[in-house]
Amino acid sequence: MSTTAMGSFHSIPALPAGARTRLRLTRRGRAVLTALLALPLVIGAVVFALNGGGAVATSEQTHVSFQHVTVESGDSLWAVAERIAPSADPRDVIADLVQLNGLDGSGVVSPGQQLAIPSKYAH
């Protein structure tokens, strides 16, 4: 062992050629390694628990029937909305028609097209 102005140095003996070193984990090291390996499982379980298992598909079919209106020549969504709900704001009726029928919202409908009427406007 030699001492210098910067401090003392310890020399580590060199391993003989062909010698194998073994990795030794302390109890603390094993705990950290176990925690790191278990972390993805814990995160997955928490995500699954918060999600509630997601939607469950069933074989039960729910039959919902709607009243329909047929679009006449020259009609727009505005005209249809005024015809089916004269006392309601046509903008609200149009928004409901667009959502229920999966329309693009441009107000363009074709003559002969069948539109489902939301139940709150059906007579």
Side-chain angles (χ1 to χ4, degrees):
M1 178 164 38
S2 64
T3 304
T4 64
M6 304 227 347
S8 63
F9 293 99
H10 299 280
S11 63
I12 299 174
L15 293 174
R20 297 180 69 183
T21 60
R22 290 189 55 191
L23 178 64
R24 297 182 142 233
L25 288 177
T26 63
R27 185 177 352 175
R28 184 175 172 190
R30 283 190 297 270
V32 169
L33 185 61
T34 302
L36 287 175
L37 292 175
L39 188 63
L41 294 174
V42 171
I43 290 173
V46 168
V47 168
F48 183 76
L50 292 176
N51 190 21
V56 178
T58 64
S59 61
E60 296 177 24
Q61 294 182 358
T62 305
H63 182 67
V64 178
S65 61
F66 293 99
Q67 289 185 355
H68 289 81
V69 64
T70 303
V71 177
E72 298 172 6
S73 180
D75 272 351
S76 65
L77 279 178
W78 190 275
V80 171
E82 287 180 328
R83 190 167 68 231
I84 65 172
S87 61
D89 184 352
R91 293 170 293 199
D92 295 333
V93 179
I94 290 171
D96 291 340
L97 285 170
V98 166
Q99 181 181 9
L100 180 62
N101 291 284
L103 302 174
D104 64 3
S106 65
V108 177
V109 287
S110 304
Q113 183 176 356
Q114 293 280 317
L115 296 176
I117 300 173
S119 58
K120 60 184 170 183
Y121 305 121
H123 303 123

